[in-house]
Amino acid sequence: MSGGDIAGLIAAGVFAVLVALLAVPILKLGKVLDELRGSIRTLADGATPLMDEVTMTVSTTHEQLKKVDGIAANVSDTTANVSALSSLVAATVGSPLVKVAAFSYGVRSAFAQQRKATRPSGRRSR
């Protein structure tokens, strides 16, 4: 065996050790990537039903909001009708009621003045 052969053997041995040393981190990295792939698959499997539930909830909420909008429109119409009715009652009953109140005040005032006029102005005896 010559010196070149020995140098070639040493170089081949060093290269084999270097490949063995680099293979360990590469294998560990492969295991990490497998775990990452499994975690992503689990996350995707859990997210799909959750998104379906969120879609159903949003759809149901939208339907309920349509119903609430209808109720709000009916309440608005009812409020307008009650306002018009109260204005009508105030116009119909209010004016005659004010006239009756003024008339009764005038009658009371007239009786009060008449009573003052008929009373004696002196002292009363005991």
Side-chain angles (χ1 to χ4, degrees):
M1 241 190 227
S2 69
D5 289 338
I6 295 174
L9 283 174
I10 292 174
V14 169
F15 185 72
V17 169
L18 182 63
V19 168
L21 288 176
L22 289 176
V24 173
I26 289 174
L27 290 174
K28 287 184 179 180
L29 181 63
K31 289 180 183 179
V32 168
L33 290 176
D34 288 341
E35 288 293 323
L36 182 63
R37 186 178 336 142
S39 297
I40 289 173
R41 184 173 292 130
T42 303
L43 182 66
D45 291 343
T48 302
L50 182 64
M51 287 184 189
D52 291 341
E53 287 180 23
V54 167
T55 303
M56 183 178 284
T57 302
V58 168
S59 175
T60 304
T61 303
H62 182 66
E63 291 174 12
Q64 294 300 323
L65 285 176
K66 283 182 182 177
K67 291 178 183 178
V68 168
D69 189 37
I71 291 169
N74 290 339
V75 167
S76 176
D77 292 344
T78 303
T79 303
N81 291 340
V82 167
S83 176
L85 182 64
S86 67
S87 296
L88 178 66
V89 167
T92 304
V93 175
S95 178
L97 197 60
V98 168
K99 290 178 182 177
V100 167
F103 178 74
S104 66
Y105 176 75
V107 168
R108 280 186 291 152
S109 296
F111 279 133
Q113 286 179 357
Q114 186 179 10
R115 202 178 293 169
K116 272 186 182 179
T118 59
R119 254 191 216 166
S121 58
R123 287 181 145 186
R124 292 189 293 183
S125 63
R126 291 189 179 178

